[in-house]
Amino acid sequence: MPRNVSTVHFVVLFVFAVASACRAQDSWPQFRGPDGQGHATADLPITFSDTENVVWKTPIAGRGWSSPVIDGPRIWLTTALDDGHSLHAVCLDRNSGKIVHDVELFQIAEPQKINEKNSYASPSPVIEGNRVWFHFGTYGTACLDATTSKVLWKHQDLKLDHQEGPGSTPVLCGDLLLIHCDGIDVQFLAALDKSTGKIVWKSERSAPKHPSPDQRKAFCTPLLIEVAGRKQIISVAAQRVYAYDPDGGAEIWHVELPGFSNVPRPLYADGLLVVCTGYMKPQLWAIRPDGKGDVTQSHVGWRVTNNVPANPSPVIVGQEIHMVSDQGIASCLDLQTGTEHYKTRLGASFSASPLAAPGRVYYFSEKGDVHVVQPGKVYQELAHNVMPDRIMASPAVAGGALFLRTETHLYRIERPAASAAKK
């Protein structure tokens, strides 16, 4: 019997979509991946250790909590040596794990004090084509040729007092490199020309200054979304979440928040923004991003006040929000209502953001435990893996491999068959 034409058409479209997803997933260009929200399309290993399913592991000198970014054969990350006096960009070969470039970008005479859990190299790089950008907060921003490691430009005019050390990762938006500058002294969003490093615009935060300077700081990474055909920069700062117009930096709307030192990156799905409010008593808010001006009273859909993270970003799988609190309580919520499906204690402390891959969610503890959980409204653990070092950096994925940075090493974790097929 001949095939139905519509069925054939569907199959062709499905194969094309899968192939496109696989090609897109071959790079991990920014913090939390291609969509900035922690989603991978690869079929990753469920079990692994310091030796199991490890293609290679490479020692990384110094200290840095930045996530790796990946494009083609290159993996880039940052690290700080000499107690923050020497700030480096490091490039590894994706196939072998060998370090091919190690570039000192900045020498710092007097580094500011940092929180004991932070590093001087916590913001992640961002890569696009043959360019890679690095940001070290108040210490400077730089652009390198991703192949040769030649420094193309440096910028050191965005000065601020982080109090706890740098944390916000830059984001690309067209020809702009967007940078959060939320210190105890100044608070603004800056847009640099990604080709030259020159300032294109700066938007001062419209929130009144909190009487306590330490409650003016934030460490969040912005997220780009599109609402009714219009791009918005979603920017979570102390006391407020903002939406800005990339073309000039004008504020579109804002919502008042009860927090500061905000770290988790916002999420966007099915017309809802999901935002963590920051320190003191972290809350999770759902916001409709189609308003103008102050929409605190009109556009907040729901609020959750228990077991919300202050550091790890949540991840959305279908209609479920999966998250883990800093204290190790994993929970699953309904995206539309915030209703809790379950909560369970994983133990340990968590700072790295979870990763969603087909059929599983990965949670990475500071102690080195990696819990692999099946998505769904009932908690089901698929594996509990143990790594030998602390994990503070969020992971990256490219091809069929998980790239996991611990306190001392970068690992390429992959099934042997998948790895061998690519050689």
Side-chain angles (χ1 to χ4, degrees):
M1 184 173 65
R3 289 184 177 182
N4 182 283
V5 173
S6 62
T7 301
V8 173
H9 182 64
F10 171 79
V11 171
V12 170
L13 289 176
F14 176 77
V15 171
F16 177 78
V18 171
S20 298
C22 290
R23 285 197 299 271
Q25 195 63 66
D26 202 46
S27 68
W28 195 264
Q30 61 171 326
F31 174 61
R32 304 212 76 200
D35 68 352
Q37 300 187 71
H39 295 115
T41 59
D43 182 20
L44 300 174
I46 294 177
T47 62
F48 50 87
S49 68
D50 188 47
T51 55
E52 181 189 2
N53 284 328
V54 173
V55 178
W56 50 255
K57 66 175 183 178
T58 300
I60 305 297
R63 184 182 185 186
W65 302 147
S66 63
S67 298
V69 294
I70 305 166
D71 187 51
R74 298 176 294 272
I75 304 171
W76 285 94
L77 46 75
T78 61
T79 190
L81 284 72
D82 191 21
D83 294 326
H85 288 84
S86 180
L87 305 178
H88 287 239
V90 179
C91 179
L92 296 86
D93 180 88
R94 177 172 155 183
N95 293 318
S96 67
K98 292 182 180 179
I99 293 176
V100 293
H101 301 295
D102 186 346
V103 182
E104 183 184 59
L105 292 177
F106 300 104
Q107 286 188 348
I108 309 302
E110 297 182 7
Q112 298 176 2
K113 291 183 179 179
I114 61 173
N115 188 287
E116 62 181 3
K117 287 182 67 172
N118 201 4
S119 77
Y120 290 99
S122 291
S124 300
V126 59
I127 191 168
E128 181 184 70
N130 202 38
R131 298 289 183 267
V132 57
W133 293 263
F134 302 88
H135 181 62
F136 296 89
T138 191
Y139 305 115
T141 309
C143 178
L144 271 63
D145 183 296
T147 302
T148 66
S149 78
K150 177 184 176 181
V151 177
L152 302 179
W153 56 259
K154 292 184 181 181
H155 184 108
Q156 290 185 281
D157 294 336
L158 300 177
K159 297 297 184 183
L160 65 154
D161 186 346
H162 298 288
Q163 192 182 58
E164 310 284 355
S168 300
T169 287
V171 170
L172 289 172
C173 177
D175 293 329
L176 303 177
L177 184 72
L178 305 174
I179 298 173
H180 276 184
C181 299
D182 289 299
I184 63 173
D185 49 353
V186 295
Q187 303 86 36
F188 59 90
L189 175 66
L192 306 185
D193 185 312
K194 71 179 184 182
S195 298
T196 66
K198 294 181 180 179
I199 296 175
V200 177
W201 52 257
K202 288 172 65 175
S203 288
E204 301 288 337
R205 303 297 195 187
S206 63
K209 285 188 179 291
H210 194 279
S212 175
D214 71 333
Q215 294 191 32
R216 302 172 190 168
K217 63 183 186 290
F219 305 93
C220 194
T221 297
L223 182 72
L224 299 174
I225 69 170
E226 188 170 306
V227 180
R230 183 182 183 185
K231 290 183 179 179
Q232 296 186 10
I233 304 165
I234 304 303
S235 177
V236 184
Q239 318 302 331
R240 278 186 183 176
V241 54
Y242 301 85
Y244 294 100
D245 186 342
D247 186 13
E251 181 181 314
I252 301 170
W253 58 261
H254 71 259
V255 167
E256 303 283 349
L257 296 176
F260 64 99
S261 284
N262 320 69
V263 175
R265 195 171 190 183
L267 306 173
Y268 184 55
D270 284 354
L272 284 178
L273 276 172
V274 179
V275 175
C276 297
T277 62
Y279 272 76
M280 294 301 283
K281 175 66 175 175
Q283 300 180 22
L284 196 70
W285 288 25
I287 301 167
R288 298 188 308 279
D290 57 353
K292 291 184 179 180
D294 184 350
V295 297
T296 309
Q297 302 303 319
S298 58
H299 282 63
V300 177
W302 51 257
R303 299 173 175 86
V304 169
T305 59
N306 293 321
N307 306 311
V308 176
N311 282 293
S313 307
V315 67
I316 295 174
V317 180
Q319 290 296 308
E320 301 161 6
I321 302 171
H322 294 266
M323 63 185 185
V324 62
S325 70
D326 296 41
Q327 295 76 31
I329 304 295
S331 56
C332 175
L333 310 177
D334 181 82
L335 172 62
Q336 298 301 325
T337 65
T339 302
E340 182 182 281
H341 295 311
Y342 71 74
K343 65 180 176 182
T344 188
R345 180 174 294 278
L346 300 182
S349 298
F350 287 75
S351 287
S353 296
L355 172 74
R360 63 210 64 159
V361 175
Y362 294 77
Y363 294 105
F364 307 86
S365 85
E366 293 180 12
K367 192 173 69 172
D369 296 306
V370 182
H371 298 267
V372 187
V373 175
Q374 181 170 300
K377 298 179 181 180
V378 177
Y379 181 80
Q380 183 177 349
E381 187 168 279
L382 302 175
H384 178 187
N385 305 303
V386 178
M387 302 299 287
D389 296 307
R390 279 205 301 171
I391 301 174
M392 302 290 288
S394 299
V397 174
L402 172 69
F403 294 87
L404 183 58
R405 184 179 191 174
T406 69
E407 187 170 20
T408 58
H409 289 77
L410 180 67
Y411 289 77
R412 174 174 169 170
I413 297 170
E414 190 172 9
R415 291 187 181 90
S419 177
K422 294 172 183 170
K423 293 183 178 179

